[in-house]
Amino acid sequence: MNKAKDLWHLIGPILTILIAITAIWYVSAVWLNSAWAYDKAKRANVTISFSEMVSDTMIQQKPLLPSPHQVIKEIYKTTILKKVTSKRSLVWHGWITLSATLLGFMFGTTLGILLAVGIVFSKSMDMSVMPWVITSQTIPILAIAPMIIVVLNAVGVSGLLPKAIISMYLSFFPVVVGMVKGLRAPDKMQLDQMHTWSAPKATSFWKLRLPSSMPYLFASLKIGVAASLVGAIVGELPTGAVAGLGARLLAGSYYGQTIQIWSALICAAILAATLVAIIGIIEKITLRKMGIQL
Amino acid sequence: MIWIIGAIFFWIIFWAINIQLSKIESNKFIKLLVPTLFGFSILILWEGFVRGFDVSPILLPTPTAIAIRFSQSLNILWVDFVQTFIKGALSGYLIGCIAAFITAVAVDKSSFLKRGLLPVGNFVAALPIIGMAPILVMWFGFDWHSKAAVVVVMVFFPMLVNTVAGLNAKDNIQHDLMKTYGANYWQNLLKLSLPSAMPFIFNGLKICTTLALIGAIVAEFFGSPTRGMGFRISTEVGRLSLDMVWAEITVAALAGSAFYGMMALIEKGVTFWHPSQRK
């Protein structure tokens, strides 16, 4: 009994908010699409009742705001019913985006960790590089995504890599900041203890600094992977809508296919949530193995 | 060849200076000087390598070429800046942050809503919201209104999550003290909750400065009038005049850094009491 109550305490508010969002979505769909429904009826010289209008707003081909069930139907149609290799399959497009995301995420994480190690061990690097790492994020990299893609295309690099580079730029920052914090997390006493054992710098890095930075690393990885996905999606925009979730967004916006835009958007959201959740699971397992209580 | 060797030579000199500088007692001036020297040495390296390897200006223009283009097209850059930053990003930023702030204060009263909104808000803040851009451009037209709308959507959730977390940050003891004084809701809000939430609120405000600029620029890729930073970048990339693109990027970087720096300065003034701001 008590357990059910606890569960409700946790899930209840979230469910309420989600239901409220769905309700708002439906109401706005009716409101936004009603103009077109009335317009259609006027041209056909018929007057429609309110209920007829509402039912029409739910089934329009190119609605201003598609209703949730239309989007779900479209997602079902383009994932389950289509073959995975088909160019209309969202799974295919999602995979292309996902592979660029993961590659960029890997690059970004590696670069971030290397920079963080350098910053922690070299004071001159800390003083000269760290301010630029922070400044680098005030530059709207997404804005220069088209240039990176076009330039790399011109030198013969195309496909996955340019997108991955944009993802890398977005994901290395949280990793650097988190890892610098994490590698500096051991307090003076622990460092002194290592010193007492006359441990060399490398040993105190592997046995003290690195383990204690793990919680920080995972927190940054979660932010980094979400940022990577955004980078990959935006990286797909200037390639002329060939493939990927970003391309679906752009093609949808060219041809006014709102249902297609929304389904690509929801798929991206599901992808982001899954990636963050996977990292969360890895974090739990790793930290438990290391004996860190959560 | 002389360019490359010269560039590397300068790089090593600057790096040696920086190592020496970081060893001596650091004061404010040195803290500013070291990164400046580092940035400057990167520019020299860039210039030297592009000249030395004879890289085509279509691929990567030299910093000097960009600087020349920048000074020649101040007019265009200013028009784009006004269109994208002042009209699009800034108005969206203000609307989004104020709306999120009001929502957070309203939600703070109910722990039920808070427990529901925080996870959902955190989730939405991690989503690729920039994908909403084509939809919003469709709804609000090509001019700056749609860009502001994209910015509003982008900054709303990070700001909301930070403000709600901030309003939760007060100590129970402080809360009890306010109760002992018989403080009413507004006194409680204005004198305890809001001041103690300020570090979190400014954290949100700072994160949102970058998001606002990104949102406004990327939204222009989906349709814009014939001005604006995003419009200029995408068309000039098409015309392969990359020095103009880099000039535009310089504007974006300067605007972004100035925006962020301004927020950080205001934060310093408002949250002078916080441990992270103390000297």
Side-chain angles (χ1 to χ4, degrees):
Chain A
M1 189 59 213
N2 215 2
K3 215 165 190 180
K5 214 171 177 184
D6 279 355
L7 197 67
W8 173 247
H9 186 81
L10 204 67
I11 306 283
I14 302 178
L15 268 182
T16 315
I17 297 283
L18 287 180
I19 290 170
I21 289 176
T22 319
I24 293 172
W25 190 342
Y26 267 112
V27 172
S28 357
V30 171
W31 180 56
L32 280 166
N33 299 336
S34 62
W36 174 242
Y38 280 127
D39 195 41
K40 231 173 18 180
K42 204 171 155 196
R43 272 184 283 167
N45 264 331
V46 283
T47 43
I48 50 172
S49 67
F50 181 74
S51 62
E52 277 170 331
M53 183 274 287
V54 169
S55 67
D56 183 73
T57 56
M58 295 286 125
I59 52 165
Q60 287 174 8
Q61 285 291 318
K62 293 182 177 182
L64 267 177
L65 177 64
S67 51
H69 67 260
Q70 272 179 309
V71 177
I72 292 172
K73 213 168 100 191
E74 167 84 5
I75 292 178
Y76 180 73
K77 221 169 67 189
T78 48
T79 51
I80 313 284
L81 297 186
K82 284 269 181 322
K83 256 197 271 166
V84 182
T85 48
S86 159
K87 286 211 172 181
R88 290 192 176 175
S89 163
L90 262 186
V91 179
W92 186 73
H93 287 286
W95 166 247
I96 288 178
T97 306
L98 179 67
S99 49
T101 305
L102 290 181
L103 192 65
F105 178 58
M106 228 168 59
F107 287 161
T109 310
T110 318
L111 177 70
I113 293 176
L114 288 179
L115 271 179
V117 171
I119 285 171
V120 168
F121 278 109
S122 147
K123 199 179 169 213
S124 64
M125 201 160 154
D126 179 20
M127 283 178 80
S128 48
V129 179
M130 199 56 187
W132 287 104
V133 168
I134 294 168
T135 322
S136 78
Q137 296 304 304
T138 63
I139 300 170
I141 173 71
L142 289 179
I144 52 177
M147 188 190 66
I148 295 174
I149 304 260
V150 169
V151 165
L152 285 178
N153 249 326
V155 286
V157 182
S158 61
L160 220 55
L161 208 55
K163 285 189 268 175
I165 288 176
I166 295 163
S167 292
M168 176 185 89
Y169 191 95
L170 283 180
S171 59
F172 92 96
F173 175 70
V175 178
V176 175
V177 174
M179 274 306 266
V180 167
K181 218 178 202 171
L183 291 173
R184 285 189 179 145
D187 55 29
K188 194 92 181 91
M189 213 142 69
Q190 292 166 317
L191 285 170
D192 278 349
Q193 175 80 80
M194 288 310 255
H195 202 67
T196 320
W197 287 330
S198 78
K201 263 190 171 177
T203 313
S204 86
F205 173 77
W206 288 112
K207 302 216 158 148
L208 174 60
R209 286 186 188 267
L210 197 64
S212 56
S213 72
M214 279 302 134
Y216 295 87
L217 175 66
F218 279 111
S220 339
L221 286 184
K222 282 189 207 160
I223 303 171
V225 82
S228 276
L229 184 65
V230 176
I233 288 176
V234 175
E236 279 158 357
L237 296 181
T239 50
V242 188
L245 291 177
R248 291 292 277 184
L249 285 178
L250 194 66
S253 100
Y254 279 165
Y255 303 117
Q257 298 283 359
T258 37
I259 302 180
Q260 184 187 324
I261 300 181
W262 279 97
S263 60
L265 208 57
I266 301 279
C267 269
I270 295 172
L271 206 56
T274 318
L275 288 173
V276 173
I278 289 174
I279 291 181
I281 292 171
I282 299 176
E283 174 185 21
K284 269 214 175 111
I285 295 172
T286 315
L287 293 192
R288 193 173 296 151
K289 282 230 166 110
M290 288 171 55
I292 297 176
Q293 298 288 323
L294 277 181
Chain B
M1 203 59 207
I2 189 101
W3 280 104
I4 300 170
I5 295 171
I8 293 175
F9 182 68
F10 264 106
W11 164 272
I12 292 170
I13 288 182
F14 275 115
W15 193 241
I17 295 175
N18 266 352
I19 287 178
Q20 290 307 316
L21 276 178
S22 62
K23 271 183 193 152
I24 52 177
E25 192 90 13
S26 69
N27 55 25
K28 234 179 186 172
F29 175 69
I30 288 180
K31 266 192 184 143
L32 214 65
L33 183 68
V34 170
T36 314
L37 279 181
F38 180 74
F40 194 64
S41 68
I42 290 219
L43 282 185
I44 290 178
L45 208 61
W46 175 355
E47 180 93 31
F49 270 57
V50 169
R51 281 174 189 245
F53 286 113
D54 232 355
V55 180
S56 153
I58 292 173
L59 292 182
L60 190 63
T62 58
T64 42
I66 297 166
I68 291 170
R69 179 45 88 101
F70 187 93
S71 57
Q72 278 172 352
S73 38
L74 283 177
N75 276 335
I76 302 176
L77 292 174
W78 175 249
V79 170
D80 292 345
F81 174 77
V82 169
Q83 169 75 16
T84 304
F85 187 77
I86 311 267
K87 287 186 184 164
L90 212 55
S91 60
Y93 179 82
L94 284 178
I95 298 171
C97 287
I98 292 173
F101 179 78
I102 293 172
T103 315
V105 171
V107 161
D108 189 52
K109 270 180 148 179
S110 145
S111 108
F112 183 81
L113 274 181
K114 237 182 346 192
R115 270 182 287 130
L117 213 58
L118 258 190
V120 174
N122 261 323
F123 173 70
V124 176
L127 293 185
I129 294 192
I130 193 74
M132 289 280 290
I135 296 164
L136 292 171
V137 170
M138 218 178 274
W139 286 359
F140 294 98
F142 281 173
D143 208 358
W144 61 270
H145 306 90
S146 63
K147 280 73 198 172
V150 173
V151 175
V152 168
V153 179
M154 272 185 90
V155 301
F156 183 81
F157 284 100
M159 188 63 199
L160 179 74
V161 170
N162 272 297
T163 314
V164 170
L167 289 172
N168 265 337
K170 56 183 181 245
D171 278 350
N172 278 333
I173 296 182
Q174 295 166 333
H175 189 75
D176 287 348
L177 182 62
M178 288 306 272
K179 226 174 191 172
T180 326
Y181 290 155
N184 63 25
Y185 170 76
W186 290 106
Q187 285 169 326
N188 220 333
L189 181 72
L190 291 177
K191 305 216 157 138
L192 173 60
S193 298
L194 278 184
S196 66
M198 276 306 154
F200 291 84
I201 291 175
F202 273 101
N203 194 22
L205 284 174
K206 283 196 290 191
I207 295 172
C208 290
T209 54
T210 340
L211 288 178
L213 206 51
I214 290 178
I217 292 178
V218 173
E220 285 179 358
F221 295 162
F222 291 97
S224 67
T226 55
R227 57 182 184 276
M229 287 150 86
F231 165 80
R232 195 76 56 200
I233 289 174
S234 55
T235 48
E236 296 293 332
V237 163
R239 291 171 52 198
L240 287 179
S241 58
L242 280 231
D243 45 351
M244 188 64 201
V245 177
W246 278 99
E248 205 69 66
I249 291 167
T250 315
V251 174
L254 288 177
S257 306
F259 198 9
Y260 186 93
M262 214 173 66
M263 279 302 143
L265 267 184
I266 299 176
E267 179 185 22
K268 232 177 203 167
V270 175
T271 65
F272 57 90
W273 47 269
H274 194 258
S276 68
Q277 304 289 348
R278 283 189 214 134
K279 290 243 166 68

